[in-house]
């Protein structure tokens, strides 16, 4: 993807830039940007704007959410500039104080910043606690992230950040439960997906779950020509099941073996470090496979169709992990400021920090989190309060991080992240936001999964009867005569977890990370306990708890990211 850097040309001199206004110019990384002109307005389009260009005519802030695709717009009208990103701000916009520099690329701002940058200690705390930044911070105090669903407006008189869409407005006090809603929502997604399928070559990530196979089903319905892939160890269900499914469907399928010596010795570290360097605090050690597989499919395709955030839309969040950390879940469960303070100050995931260096920032962050919790509207249910964070922050900081890193290689399309579809879904009982807060009841969680099989039933009968990695078929969810298969699968999986040990390093994370000490040097610094990191890295095993593994590797990722810029000395 083409990145941009907007700057004040009377304060910073950069060659080969395009003048936007009397005060600002823009530099593009390459020549892929598109220029659209309508009357007295110019739009520079970067990324993948799917909507027709005429929808930009007389564009109002309230219209931005309706535009499809993951993209940036730079709008120039007279001496006014607007810098816009797509729905949920999936692609980030960074800026410095007084808007001297504005960019899609954090590294570009870092390289052009005239002064020494200060590592943001609160951002480091946030990344370790939540797996991504909680607020709008970045690696450095002098560089900021534009809030979700907001744009930058620059005029002769002022520089402002304007919110153009508030997702909480979509939350309902009463939801539709009539029998026609499942038909309506499934029909809407099928029609919506049609707009996202490109005419050029594309790939779909075909895993053992429902997000990818729903896209595969819709793509076959519209008779699209595409290829599929999945990644993992050869024996894992996320590989074995889609491989068998694709073979039955006669689809072109590729498996990326994350247990091979070639991947572990040659590609793991390279892609992990590249991911770390191209993200704002991303843990590339657990997402190296995402970047590696995308590079390979990009040799053959221009687009990746991804089911990102599908599960988050349809089911009540209940699992603690990379998407929603234990600290995040406990934060939303907390009842008062004292509980929040205790939760943060005693968090085990901070053990790799020299915590004495973070005392001031820790206290300030705790107060900010307490204030955040108090400012959540009281009229929202507990689940709506949590889902406001899901829509505002998790989508852009978890899935958006993947998309922004991958967009350097391929155009990523995400049909589940469509405003019209989400707006309609949130009117029904099938939306995760309309379920009980963190419910552990599998029957209640199953309600959202009804949408997937209904879409599949209408688009591909073969997939409708194929077994998934969950142990049951789409038909088993919808057909009451087969629902016993869902129950049996659920019970069997619980028993299997207790009596059978499987290779939990499905993505090659531990095997890849175990080679790090041979390949990289970890220098001492005042922020991190490097001796402890080295020790735990040497003792990392495939049986190590996932939470401990991830906090170790996140600490290492942050340490190496700052070291790259010589920021911790």
């Amino acid at each position: 993807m083409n990145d941009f850097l907007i700057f004040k040309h009377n304060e910073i001199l950069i060659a080969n830039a395009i003048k936007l206004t009397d005060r600002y110019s823009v530099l593009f990384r390459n020549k892929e940007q598109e220029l659209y002109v309508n009357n007295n307005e110019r739009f520079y389009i970067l990324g993948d704007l799917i909507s027709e260009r005429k929808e930009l005519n007389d564009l109002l802030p309230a219209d931005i959410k309706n535009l499809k695709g993951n993209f940036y717009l730079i709008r120039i009208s007279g001496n006014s500039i607007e810098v816009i990103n797509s729905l949920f701000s999936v692609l980030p916009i960074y800026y410095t104080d007084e808007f001297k520099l504005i960019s899609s690329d954090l590294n570009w701002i870092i390289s052009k910043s005239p002064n020494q940058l200060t590592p943001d200690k609160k951002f480091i705390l946030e990344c370790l606690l939540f797996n991504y930044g909680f607020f709008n911070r970045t690696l450095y105090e002098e560089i900021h992230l534009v809030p979700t669903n907001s744009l930058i407006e620059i005029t002769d008189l002022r520089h402002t950040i304007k919110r153009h869409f508030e997702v909480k407005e979509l939350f309902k006090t009463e939801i539709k439960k009539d029998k026609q809603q499942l038909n309506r929502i499934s029909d809407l997604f099928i029609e919506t997906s049609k707009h996202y399928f490109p005419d050029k070559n594309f790939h779909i990530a075909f895993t053992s779950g429902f997000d990818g196979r729903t896209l595969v089903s819709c793509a076959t319905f519209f008779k699209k020509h595409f290829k599929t892939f999945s990644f993992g160890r050869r024996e894992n269900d996320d590989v074995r099941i889609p491989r068998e499914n694709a073979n039955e469907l006669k689809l072109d399928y590729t498996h990326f073996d994350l247990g091979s010596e070639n991947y572990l010795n040659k590609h793991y570290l390279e892609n992990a470090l590249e991911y770390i360097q191209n993200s704002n605090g991303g843990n590339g050690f657990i997402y190296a496979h995402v970047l590696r597989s995308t590079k390979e499919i990009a040799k053959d395709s221009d687009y990746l169709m991804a089911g990102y955030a599908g599960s988050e839309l349809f089911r009540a969040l209940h699992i603690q992990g990379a998407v929603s950390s234990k600290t995040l879940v406990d934060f939303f469960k907390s009842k008062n400021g004292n509980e929040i303070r205790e939760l943060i100050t005693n968090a085990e995931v901070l053990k790799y920090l020299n915590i004495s260096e973070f005392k001031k920032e820790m206290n300030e962050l705790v107060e900010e989190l307490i204030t955040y919790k108090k400012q959540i509207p009281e009229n929202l249910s507990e689940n709506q309060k949590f889902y406001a964070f899901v829509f505002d922050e998790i989508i852009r900081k978890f899935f958006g991080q993947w998309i922004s890193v991958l967009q350097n290689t391929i155009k990523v399309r995400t049909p589940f992240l469509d405003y019209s579809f989400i707006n309609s879904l949130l009117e029904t009982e099938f939306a995760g936001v309309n379920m009980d807060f963190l419910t552990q009841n599998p029957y209640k969680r199953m309600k959202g999964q009804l949408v997937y099989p209904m879409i599949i039933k209408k688009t591909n009968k073969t997939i409708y009867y194929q077994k998934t990695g969950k142990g049951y078929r789409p038909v088993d969810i919808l057909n009451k005569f087969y629902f016993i298969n869902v129950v049996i699968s659920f019970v069997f999986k619980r028993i299997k977890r207790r009596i059978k040990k499987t290779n939990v390093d499905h993505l090659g994370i531990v095997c890849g990370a175990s080679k790090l000490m041979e390949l990289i040097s970890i220098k001492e610094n005042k922020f991190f306990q490097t001796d402890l990191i080295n020790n735990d890295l040497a003792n990392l095993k495939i049986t190590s708890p996932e939470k401990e593994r991830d906090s170790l590797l996140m600490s290492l990722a942050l340490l190496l990211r700052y070291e790259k810029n010589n920021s911790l000395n």
Side-chain angles (χ1 to χ4, degrees):
M1 184 186 73
N2 190 8
D3 283 304
F4 67 87
L5 177 71
I6 298 174
F7 59 96
K8 290 183 177 180
H9 52 234
N10 61 332
E11 298 184 25
I12 302 172
L13 184 62
I14 303 177
N16 302 317
I18 299 171
K19 186 176 179 180
L20 298 178
T21 65
D22 291 343
R23 298 168 61 203
Y24 281 89
S25 293
V26 64
L27 189 66
F28 295 109
R29 183 83 70 189
N30 54 48
K31 303 299 181 183
E32 292 180 6
Q33 74 275 2
E34 174 188 346
L35 175 61
Y36 174 75
V37 179
N38 176 54
N39 296 327
N40 295 321
E41 287 191 332
R42 289 178 288 154
F43 287 89
Y44 286 104
I45 304 169
L46 299 89
D48 183 30
L49 174 62
I50 300 171
S51 298
E52 293 185 16
R53 302 306 182 255
K54 66 181 181 181
E55 293 186 41
L56 300 179
N57 299 347
D58 302 316
L59 184 73
L60 298 174
D63 299 328
I64 295 170
K65 64 182 180 294
N66 296 308
L67 298 174
K68 300 182 188 299
N70 298 311
F71 58 85
Y72 293 105
L73 299 174
I74 301 172
R75 180 185 196 176
I76 306 98
S77 179
N79 228 25
S80 170
I81 303 171
E82 288 181 346
V83 187
I84 302 166
N85 51 7
S86 46
L87 181 65
F88 300 125
S89 300
V90 164
L91 298 179
I93 301 173
Y94 303 103
Y95 67 99
T96 60
D97 295 335
E98 299 180 2
F99 299 91
K100 291 181 179 180
L101 294 168
I102 304 167
S103 183
S104 57
D105 182 5
L106 181 64
N107 290 325
W108 211 347
I109 289 188
I110 292 171
S111 69
K112 296 298 181 183
S113 296
N115 301 316
Q116 180 72 28
L117 296 172
T118 310
D120 194 319
K121 294 182 184 179
K122 282 188 272 190
F123 180 75
I124 294 173
L125 291 169
E126 290 173 14
C127 287
L128 290 169
L129 290 165
F130 306 110
N131 299 330
Y132 35 73
F134 191 98
F135 295 104
N136 295 308
R137 298 186 172 92
T138 72
L139 292 158
Y140 297 100
E141 292 181 3
E142 295 83 0
I143 306 174
H144 318 286
L145 177 67
V146 172
T148 188
N149 294 313
S150 301
L151 60 85
I152 293 176
E153 182 182 49
I154 301 171
T155 67
D156 287 334
L157 300 177
R158 64 184 185 275
H159 308 76
T160 56
I161 293 177
K162 295 171 60 175
R163 183 92 175 209
H164 57 76
F165 170 55
E166 181 60 71
V167 73
K168 288 188 274 294
E169 295 174 0
L170 301 184
F171 295 168
K172 315 297 180 187
T173 53
E174 295 184 8
I175 58 175
K176 300 175 181 177
K177 295 185 177 181
D178 60 273
K179 294 181 179 179
Q180 294 305 312
Q181 295 308 312
L182 185 57
N183 264 321
R184 182 178 69 87
I185 289 298
S186 55
D187 284 344
L188 177 59
F189 183 79
I190 294 168
E191 177 61 26
T192 297
S193 71
K194 180 172 67 174
H195 299 286
Y196 286 83
F197 291 122
D199 294 326
K200 298 180 180 180
N201 296 336
F202 67 94
H203 270 73
I204 299 177
F206 193 2
T207 61
S208 63
F210 278 104
D211 296 327
R213 72 184 50 240
T214 299
L215 296 182
V216 169
S217 189
C218 290
T220 61
F221 179 74
F222 290 114
K223 296 180 169 49
K224 295 292 182 177
H225 297 286
F226 64 97
K227 296 180 180 181
T228 64
F229 73 100
S230 62
F231 37 66
R233 291 184 176 271
R234 188 171 297 277
E235 68 276 10
N236 192 276
D237 282 350
D238 256 357
V239 172
R240 181 182 59 81
I241 289 174
R243 182 175 61 229
E244 293 172 357
N245 294 162
N247 184 57
E248 183 181 3
L249 292 162
K250 296 181 171 53
L251 295 175
D252 190 318
Y253 169 83
T254 300
H255 162 228
F256 295 103
D257 187 359
L258 303 183
S260 71
E261 289 301 311
N262 179 53
Y263 171 73
L264 296 173
N265 291 325
K266 185 178 179 182
H267 299 294
Y268 172 80
L269 182 59
E270 169 194 327
N271 287 278
L273 295 178
E274 183 178 337
Y275 188 103
I276 291 167
Q277 186 60 23
N278 290 327
S279 63
N280 180 34
N283 190 350
F285 293 119
I286 63 175
Y287 302 127
H289 62 283
V290 177
L291 183 54
R292 168 62 182 164
S293 59
T294 303
K295 286 179 180 177
E296 287 300 305
I297 67 169
K299 295 175 182 178
D300 201 30
S301 286
D302 299 314
Y303 297 88
L304 167 62
M305 292 289 294
Y308 297 160
S311 296
E312 285 63 37
L313 291 178
F314 295 123
R315 71 181 183 192
L317 295 183
H318 66 287
I319 298 174
Q320 299 168 3
V323 178
S324 50
S325 70
K326 182 180 186 304
T327 310
L328 181 70
V329 172
D330 289 344
F331 169 73
F332 277 96
K333 290 165 64 176
S334 64
K335 302 299 183 185
N336 55 56
N338 289 334
E339 288 187 11
I340 293 172
R341 186 176 301 280
E342 184 175 346
L343 170 69
I344 301 303
T345 56
N346 296 324
E348 179 69 16
V349 292
L350 302 179
K351 72 176 186 177
Y352 297 108
L353 295 178
N354 287 321
I355 207 66
S356 61
E357 292 285 339
F358 291 81
K359 283 186 177 180
K360 174 177 175 290
E361 290 77 15
M362 175 86 79
N363 288 329
E364 291 175 355
L365 179 60
V366 167
E367 292 303 320
E368 289 175 17
L369 290 168
I370 291 171
T371 301
Y372 173 93
K373 198 81 183 290
K374 287 179 179 178
Q375 290 177 345
I376 300 176
E378 284 299 320
N379 63 309
L380 299 181
S381 70
E382 291 305 304
N383 205 38
Q384 287 174 334
K385 292 175 183 178
F386 187 45
Y387 260 84
F389 186 84
V390 171
F391 282 110
D392 283 347
E393 309 299 342
I394 290 180
I395 286 178
R396 67 182 179 133
K397 292 174 181 173
F398 184 82
F399 298 106
Q401 186 183 99
W402 286 0
I403 294 166
S404 62
V405 171
L406 299 184
Q407 289 270 93
N408 294 321
T409 304
I410 200 168
K411 291 179 179 177
V412 183
R413 292 195 168 180
T414 49
F416 287 110
L417 295 178
D418 180 272
Y419 172 75
S420 295
F421 174 70
I422 291 174
N423 185 29
S424 294
L425 176 67
L426 265 56
E427 296 175 347
T428 74
E429 60 183 328
F430 307 112
V433 66
N434 293 329
M435 299 177 194
D436 293 339
F437 178 53
L438 298 173
T439 179
Q440 296 298 315
N441 185 322
Y443 182 76
K444 290 184 177 180
R445 296 202 311 269
M446 185 65 66
K447 191 179 296 180
Q449 285 200 38
L450 292 172
V451 179
Y452 291 123
M454 182 59 82
I455 294 169
I456 293 170
K457 180 181 180 181
K458 293 177 178 180
T459 52
N460 192 305
K461 287 294 172 58
T462 300
I463 299 177
Y464 186 56
Y465 287 97
Q466 286 182 332
K467 188 177 180 180
T468 70
K470 298 181 180 296
Y472 49 82
R473 307 165 299 171
V475 63
D476 296 331
I477 301 175
L478 284 185
N479 192 313
K480 63 181 180 181
F481 296 107
Y482 294 133
F483 193 77
I484 187 62
N485 293 331
V486 178
V487 177
I488 292 171
S489 176
F490 179 78
V491 173
F492 178 74
K493 278 199 166 186
R494 286 209 162 181
I495 296 172
K496 185 178 178 182
R497 286 195 200 108
R498 294 178 181 177
I499 65 174
K500 183 179 179 181
K501 289 187 177 181
T502 58
N503 189 332
V504 294
D505 194 30
H506 164 50
L507 300 175
I509 295 169
V510 174
C511 290
S514 65
K515 301 177 184 295
L516 292 177
M517 296 188 70
E518 307 168 14
L519 302 170
I520 60 177
S521 173
I522 303 173
K523 302 175 184 177
E524 286 190 25
N525 69 82
K526 63 181 181 180
F527 286 176
F528 291 89
Q529 297 191 54
T530 51
D531 287 344
L532 182 58
I533 291 175
N534 279 319
N535 179 72
D536 285 4
L537 193 56
N539 292 297
L540 187 65
K541 297 178 174 59
I542 62 172
T543 54
S544 299
E546 185 177 296
K547 183 179 72 170
E548 294 178 13
R549 177 201 73 186
D550 290 355
S551 62
L552 167 63
L553 296 178
M554 174 61 89
S555 299
L556 181 58
L558 288 167
L559 172 58
L560 294 177
R561 181 67 162 92
Y562 282 113
E563 275 191 357
K564 179 78 173 178
N565 297 325
N566 297 314
S567 303
L568 298 182
N569 299 326

